[in-house]
Amino acid sequence: MERFVDGWNIVQTLGEGAFGEVKLLINEKTNDAVALKIVDLQRAGDAKDCVYKEERIHRMLHHPHIIKLLGKREESNVAYLFLEFASGGELFDKIEPDVGMHSGEAQKYMTQLLDGLEYLHRRGITHRDIKPENLLLDEENNLKISDFGMATIFRLKGRERQLDKRCGTLPYVAPEVLKGPYFAQPSDIWSCGIVFVAMLTGELPWNEPTTESPEFARWVKSTCITESLWKKLSTMAFSLARKILNPEPAKRLKLPEILGHTWMKVEFTLNEDVTDNVEQQCKRIALPRDTENKKEIPLLPSSQPTARVPYVDISSLTAVLTSNKNQISFSQPTQNDDLLLNSQISFTQSQLTQNQFKRLVKRMTRFTAKISQESTVLRVCKALDYFEYPWSIDPASIITVSTVDSGKLQLVFKISTIDMDDHVLVDFRLSKGCGIEFKRRFVKIKNSLTDIICRV
Ligand code: ATP
Ligand code: MG
C-alpha cells in the first residue's frame, strides 16, 4: 500500500488512461473513498492544456448522471484530479462479449446516459468521447458520465459554434466528425447509438464510420439487415438504432425523440432470467464475428508508455475484505484539506461502505483459481503460449501481454495474481487497445483454464 498524503492511502489501480492512471484512495480513519486521476504533465506537449481544460469544464458540472470532480492538486509535473469514486466500475464490464446484456438493463442505462447528456448539452458542453469505458457505475448501478478530457464548449451565451477537431474513439465516432466541421450534439448522440448497439449485442458494428469499413458501407446502403450483429436486435431496437445511427446528422434523432421512441418505453421484465435470455440470444448467433480492433483518434498521443506509477497491490484491501470485515469502522467524514492543498473546489465526500468494499473485487475480468499462486501463474503462462500471445513477466509476477488484434492494432493487458489464502485471485486489466477485443481474449484464456477455476 502506498501513502498518498498523511491519512490517505492508494489501495488499488482503477484504470489506465492516455496520460496516466486512476487509483483508488482510501482514508485510513474514515474509509472515505476517492478516485485519483494522475496526469503526467510531461507525457505529451499539450498535456497541461488538456488537463486544465478538463478541470475547467468538469468543475462546472453537477448532475446525478455525471461523475463529480471533487478537486485538483498539482505538484511539479503531475496533476491530480480527485473524482467521486464509482464503485460499480465501467458500464463496459456489464457487456458480455458477443452477447450484450438484458434489454431492460440496457434501457435503464440508455435513459440515464441520455439524461446526463441532455444536461451537458443544455450547459453548452459536448463530451466527444462517449463509450462504455467512460460511463461508470455507482454502488446502485446508476450510470455516471466520466472523463471530460475531450469535452469542449459548443454554445456560449446562446451562440452555437461548429467544431472541427477530430476527436473521440473511432468505432464510436460519428461519420461527420471525420469530415469536419460538425455540430456537437448529433455527434454525441451518434456515440450513444453505438453504446446502445454494444449493450444489446456485445459487438461494435464497425471499426470506423467510413467507406474503409465494409460493415459501415452496408449500413449506409441498408444491405446489412441479414448480418448476425443486426439480427440480434429486436425489430424495435433495430428501428431505434437506424434512427440514431443516421449518417446524416441533420436527420438523426434528437434527445427527446430518442426518449420518446417505443423501445425506450417498453416495460422489459427485469427479473426475467438473464442467463436464459443470454442463451437464447447465443443460439441466434450463427458465428460470432471477430471484430477488428479499434483505433483511438489521436487527440491524445496513441502511444501509451508503460505506466510510470508503480503497480499497487490490492492485497492489503483484500486482506481487510477476507479476514477483518467486522472490524472495519465506518466513521463520519472528517475534513480533508490535507488532500487538496491547492484546490479551490470544496470537497464533498463519499463514504466507502462494506458493500462497496465487496464490489472492489467484483470486476468481470477476474476469476479465482483453486491451485497455488505459483501454479496459477504457470498455467496462465502456458495458456498464453497456447494462444500465441506474446507475454513478459516482472519480478512481482505481473504478466504483461502485448499482442495485436485482428485489425493489427496494439492490444496490451496485464494479468496479476493475488494470494487470498484459500484461493488465488487472477485479475486481468486492459492497458491499451479495444475493450471488447480484450474481453474476448479474457474469455478465451478463462475457458481454457476451467479445471483450475473455483466455481462460485
Ligand atoms: P482515456 O483517455 O484512455 O479514455 P483517461 O486518461 O482520460 O483515459 P479516464 O477515462 O478518466 O482516463 O479513466 C481511465 C479509467 O479509470 C476509466 O475507464 C475507469 O475504468 C477508471 N476510472 C476513472 N475514473 C474513475 C472513478 N471516478 N471511479 C472509478 N473508476 C474510475
Ligand atoms: Mg477514458
Side-chain angles (χ1 to χ4, degrees):
M1 181 144 66
E2 200 185 319
R3 179 150 294 221
F4 179 65
V5 288
D6 229 14
W8 287 88
N9 295 317
I10 295 177
V11 294
Q12 192 186 4
T13 300
L14 295 168
E16 279 183 49
F19 284 137
E21 284 188 303
V22 180
K23 307 264 190 182
L24 173 61
L25 270 187
I26 302 273
N27 185 289
E28 246 168 38
K29 290 201 197 96
T30 61
N31 282 314
D32 291 335
V34 170
L36 173 69
K37 184 164 171 173
I38 305 167
V39 181
D40 180 350
L41 297 175
Q42 285 184 312
R43 189 167 278 191
D46 58 352
K48 218 170 187 156
D49 293 342
C50 287
V51 77
Y52 285 164
K53 189 169 180 191
E54 176 169 356
E55 183 210 350
R56 234 180 23 247
I57 289 182
H58 201 164
R59 66 192 294 181
M60 295 162 53
L61 307 171
H62 306 279
H63 187 270
H65 295 301
I66 292 178
I67 213 91
K68 284 186 187 59
L69 174 69
L70 306 171
K72 185 188 159 219
R73 173 178 169 149
E74 205 176 306
E75 269 166 27
S76 51
N77 288 313
V78 185
Y80 300 100
L81 295 179
F82 299 93
L83 301 159
E84 167 195 5
F85 170 51
S87 63
E90 298 172 9
L91 174 65
F92 198 83
D93 278 338
K94 299 278 176 195
I95 303 175
E96 191 173 332
D98 299 317
V99 175
M101 64 174 76
H102 187 278
S103 302
E105 253 189 303
Q107 187 193 51
K108 176 187 120 176
Y109 293 136
M110 195 68 186
T111 311
Q112 297 187 340
L113 168 60
L114 299 176
D115 193 21
L117 191 65
E118 193 276 327
Y119 168 81
L120 271 184
H121 287 178
R122 201 162 9 103
R123 305 273 336 245
I125 290 164
T126 164
H127 185 280
R128 297 202 290 188
D129 197 19
I130 288 176
K131 56 179 176 180
E133 295 91 322
N134 286 338
L135 302 173
L136 306 180
L137 303 173
D138 70 7
E139 194 187 9
E140 270 100 38
N141 275 329
N142 287 310
L143 181 144
K144 309 259 173 177
I145 302 175
S146 166
D147 190 358
F148 290 84
M150 293 195 190
T152 198
I153 296 169
F154 70 91
R155 193 194 313 107
L156 198 62
K157 295 183 184 150
R159 288 189 61 171
E160 178 167 354
R161 65 178 179 119
Q162 275 194 297
L163 308 169
D164 45 30
K165 194 162 191 170
R166 289 158 39 122
C167 59
T169 305
L170 266 180
Y172 295 91
V173 95
E176 69 272 15
V177 173
L178 301 174
K179 297 174 193 148
Y182 59 93
F183 284 103
Q185 295 175 91
S187 66
D188 274 343
I189 288 173
W190 175 281
S191 307
C192 295
I194 303 284
V195 171
F196 172 68
V197 174
M199 285 195 293
L200 291 178
T201 66
E203 289 183 65
L204 293 173
W206 40 76
N207 291 326
E208 52 183 275
T210 67
T211 44
E212 296 289 302
S213 157
E215 289 87 3
F216 181 68
R218 287 196 292 273
W219 174 257
V220 175
K221 282 190 260 154
S222 303
T223 54
C224 59
I225 190 85
T226 55
E227 284 167 23
S228 68
L229 178 143
W230 300 112
K231 282 204 309 207
K232 288 187 222 172
L233 296 184
S234 66
T235 318
M236 235 189 301
F238 184 76
S239 124
L240 180 54
R242 280 231 59 99
K243 290 175 182 163
I244 304 180
L245 298 174
N246 188 324
E248 275 191 60
K251 294 189 184 153
R252 203 167 293 156
L253 285 195
K254 310 224 170 359
L255 288 175
E257 293 165 339
I258 303 176
L259 286 162
H261 189 275
T262 333
W263 186 89
M264 295 295 299
K265 294 180 181 164
V266 182
E267 268 190 48
F268 295 105
T269 38
L270 264 172
N271 54 5
E272 188 185 323
D273 190 332
V274 178
T275 344
D276 283 345
N277 184 288
V278 161
E279 271 167 18
Q280 276 169 17
Q281 293 192 21
C282 283
K283 277 182 210 144
R284 281 197 277 139
I285 306 166
L287 260 180
R289 215 161 56 93
D290 197 12
T291 21
E292 291 78 21
N293 212 342
K294 329 295 164 209
K295 293 174 233 158
E296 293 265 337
I297 300 177
L299 171 82
L300 306 176
S302 60
S303 64
Q304 243 181 56
T306 349
R308 198 183 55 82
V309 192
Y311 181 88
V312 179
D313 198 302
I314 67 158
S315 49
S316 51
L317 182 64
T318 46
V320 174
L321 259 175
T322 48
S323 58
N324 229 353
K325 261 184 238 161
N326 298 333
Q327 291 165 31
I328 309 171
S329 73
F330 294 97
S331 57
Q332 286 307 304
T334 53
Q335 285 300 310
N336 291 292
D337 299 340
D338 47 347
L339 194 65
L340 289 169
L341 294 177
N342 305 331
S343 169
Q344 297 132 13
I345 303 173
S346 71
F347 190 66
T348 36
Q349 293 182 330
S350 60
Q351 274 236 299
L352 193 73
T353 65
Q354 293 213 24
N355 264 346
Q356 283 175 314
F357 257 121
K358 283 182 200 152
R359 293 198 62 151
L360 290 177
V361 290
K362 247 189 165 184
R363 277 232 317 274
M364 203 176 129
T365 47
R366 287 180 165 174
F367 58 80
T368 49
K370 55 191 175 196
I371 56 175
S372 74
Q373 188 171 20
E374 217 181 354
S375 316
T376 305
V377 173
L378 274 173
R379 284 293 309 273
V380 170
C381 294
K382 269 194 180 165
L384 296 172
D385 283 340
Y386 176 79
F387 293 119
E388 296 181 354
Y389 299 149
W391 56 271
S392 62
I393 190 161
D394 73 4
S397 292
I398 297 166
I399 303 166
T400 303
V401 182
S402 204
T403 181
V404 285
D405 58 35
S406 35
K408 306 256 183 306
L409 292 163
Q410 208 187 357
L411 183 71
V412 182
F413 54 96
K414 290 186 179 144
I415 308 170
S416 42
T417 49
I418 298 145
D419 199 347
M420 314 259 294
D421 290 341
D422 55 341
H423 60 268
V424 175
L425 186 69
V426 185
D427 181 68
F428 286 57
R429 186 185 305 283
L430 176 66
S431 294
K432 185 174 168 57
C434 166
I436 289 189
E437 288 276 333
F438 158 63
K439 263 200 190 164
R440 286 205 179 101
R441 277 157 184 79
F442 165 77
V443 171
K444 247 165 115 174
I445 297 165
K446 186 180 164 198
N447 288 346
S448 74
L449 296 168
T450 42
D451 59 310
I452 64 159
I453 294 176
C454 306
R455 284 206 204 141
V456 198

